[in-house]
Amino acid sequence: QRMMELFSEIGIEITKENRDRVDEAIHDMLSVDYPNGAAAWKMVRKKLDGEDPEGFKQRLKTALERLDL
């Protein structure tokens, strides 16, 4: 639920077609081996609860926009 809110907030629509590409991009951004989803999402939550959540959201948005979703 929180992740869907995050994607909505940064203007990224997750679909069946782009879900895997988004997942891989997040893993790459966080330097987490794909497909270790639990570790990646734990790091996302840590970043959102950290000192610069807005900066993280902007970096995530930029990284995902490069995918041409």
Side-chain angles (χ1 to χ4, degrees):
Q1 180 70 20
R2 185 174 183 190
M3 297 307 143
M4 294 311 289
E5 290 174 10
L6 168 63
F7 293 127
S8 176
E9 189 176 327
I10 64 173
I12 301 293
E13 182 181 358
I14 304 301
T15 65
K16 288 179 185 178
E17 292 77 23
N18 71 9
R19 183 178 12 207
D20 289 341
R21 289 175 47 214
V22 168
D23 198 29
E24 286 183 42
I26 290 170
H27 280 74
D28 186 51
M29 180 181 166
L30 298 172
S31 300
V32 175
D33 290 336
Y34 186 79
N36 190 344
W41 294 116
K42 184 176 182 179
M43 284 193 74
V44 168
R45 286 189 296 274
K46 188 175 181 180
K47 296 281 189 186
L48 291 174
D49 293 336
E51 293 181 14
D52 187 19
E54 293 306 315
F56 172 73
K57 289 176 190 176
Q58 188 58 49
R59 288 188 301 277
L60 178 61
K61 180 177 182 173
T62 300
L64 295 178
E65 284 175 340
R66 288 186 189 132
L67 295 178
D68 266 343
L69 304 175

